[in-house]
Amino acid sequence: MKKYIITTESGSDLSKEIIDRYNIQVVPMHVTMENQTYDDGSFDVQRVFDYYEETGNLPKTSGSTLQDNAEVFKQIFDKHPDAYIIHIGYSAVTTVSFNAANIAAQDFKNVYLVDSKHVSIGAAAVVKATAQFIEDNPDTSPEEIIAFVEDIRERTHMVFLPKTLLYLKAGGRVSNLAFYGANLLKIHPTIILENGYLVSGKKYRGPFDSCLKKMVNNFFESYNINPETVMVVGAPGVEDNQKEMINNLLRENGIQTSGWMNAGSVISSHGGPGAIGITGIEK
């Protein structure tokens, strides 16, 4: 029976519970503020928002480097020489991370790479489902695992609702005209993943909490989601009453338990404070 170890980037926003449960090894992505670059996950995400408020500049995010990946691969093989690494990468079209992992893997045997085509909790959903698949099928082959990922990534859906468009505007993802128009008309556009790309989704009008409710209900109306795969992510600034509202909405949609993840600094640099997202895998 082969020993499989999954690796992924920190931008997948996996909870410590999932990381520990499945022994997932995380390769750091990076955030630069002023002239200092930090590993994603090494500091409080609130610093991202504080930095923007203080300077008017967005932190710069960057992917995992060749050295980051090589170091994690080496640590795994030093401890488990006969292991097989399954690297489930953060969406390859959004960062250099996947290419860096591919180059690093050339110096090792038994490293298999596959693009999740997702970010944040979308990637987390793919990673968790794959880890469970391996646990349930211990005699599976690397090729079968890759095929599993390639299947479920197409059935994985993620949508998130920024509370403010300031961060998307600052990052050049929203024009000044669209920003001021949305504020004037109280429009909240969602962000979704299409073939690995972050693109604009449905637009809701009204107070943020009302739009949040519509987003969650429309998510379950649009997709036949496996209840066991649902995860929710929130950036710093999400209020307790909003969490309670989402939990109630999930129960109304037949979801008894769901994982609540904390948004990391990479996705928070784009979504801003108070952003909330939901993901799940279609049956």
Side-chain angles (χ1 to χ4, degrees), residues 66-282:
L66 186 158
Q67 290 77 17
D68 293 326
N69 286 279
E71 182 177 337
V72 171
F73 295 163
K74 183 177 185 303
Q75 288 174 352
I76 291 171
F77 286 127
D78 282 349
K79 191 172 182 180
H80 307 285
D82 298 325
Y84 286 71
I85 292 176
I86 305 295
H87 182 80
I88 304 175
Y90 194 90
S91 173
V93 298
T94 65
T95 174
V96 299
S97 291
F98 190 78
N99 187 52
N102 191 36
I103 295 172
Q106 294 174 15
D107 290 331
F108 301 89
K109 291 182 179 180
N110 297 330
V111 179
Y112 295 80
L113 295 90
V114 58
D115 181 2
S116 74
K117 291 190 176 182
H118 283 274
V119 305
S120 188
I121 55 168
V126 173
V127 169
K128 181 174 182 279
T130 307
Q132 189 61 51
F133 172 78
I134 293 172
E135 185 173 288
D136 294 341
N137 301 275
D139 294 322
T140 191
S141 69
E143 292 78 14
E144 288 170 328
I145 297 171
I146 299 303
F148 176 84
V149 174
E150 291 174 341
D151 172 41
I152 64 164
R153 72 186 182 189
E154 305 303 324
R155 294 187 282 114
T156 300
H157 302 281
M158 186 192 84
V159 57
F160 76 91
L161 187 70
K163 191 172 185 179
T164 172
L165 295 181
L166 273 172
Y167 287 71
L168 290 171
K169 182 173 86 70
R173 294 177 182 269
V174 172
S175 68
N176 285 337
L177 181 62
F179 171 75
Y180 290 114
N183 278 350
L184 180 64
L185 298 173
K186 293 186 177 180
I187 293 174
H188 291 274
T190 59
I191 306 299
I192 62 174
L193 266 288
E194 283 188 357
N195 202 31
Y197 291 92
L198 289 161
V199 299
S200 179
K202 287 181 180 290
K203 296 179 176 65
Y204 301 111
R205 188 171 181 178
F208 180 73
D209 283 8
S210 173
C211 295
L212 187 58
K213 183 176 181 178
K214 293 174 186 175
M215 180 192 77
V216 173
N217 284 332
N218 283 348
F219 181 77
F220 290 106
E221 290 168 0
S222 300
Y223 309 109
N224 184 20
I225 296 294
N226 180 343
E228 296 181 357
T229 66
V230 174
M231 296 181 186
V232 181
V233 68
V238 174
E239 300 170 5
D240 289 341
N241 67 298
Q242 292 169 338
K243 289 184 179 181
E244 183 179 356
M245 179 181 71
I246 288 177
N247 286 333
N248 289 335
L249 289 171
L250 292 176
R251 283 192 289 271
E252 289 173 10
N253 284 281
I255 312 301
Q256 299 305 317
T257 58
S258 65
W260 184 281
M261 310 292 174
N262 295 316
S265 54
V266 173
I267 195 68
S268 293
S269 295
H270 302 292
I276 297 176
I278 185 169
T279 191
I281 303 173
E282 281 189 287

Side-chain angles (χ1 to χ4, degrees), residues 17-33:
E17 179 184 9
I18 293 175
I19 290 171
D20 292 345
R21 167 70 176 78
Y22 294 103
N23 189 33
I24 295 162
Q25 303 301 302
V26 179
V27 185
M29 297 175 80
H30 306 284
V31 179
T32 300
M33 293 178 277

Side-chain angles (χ1 to χ4, degrees), residues 4-17:
Y4 291 107
I5 295 178
I6 293 176
T7 59
T8 191
E9 293 94 335
S10 60
S12 61
D13 294 338
L14 286 163
S15 66
K16 184 177 185 300
E17 179 184 9

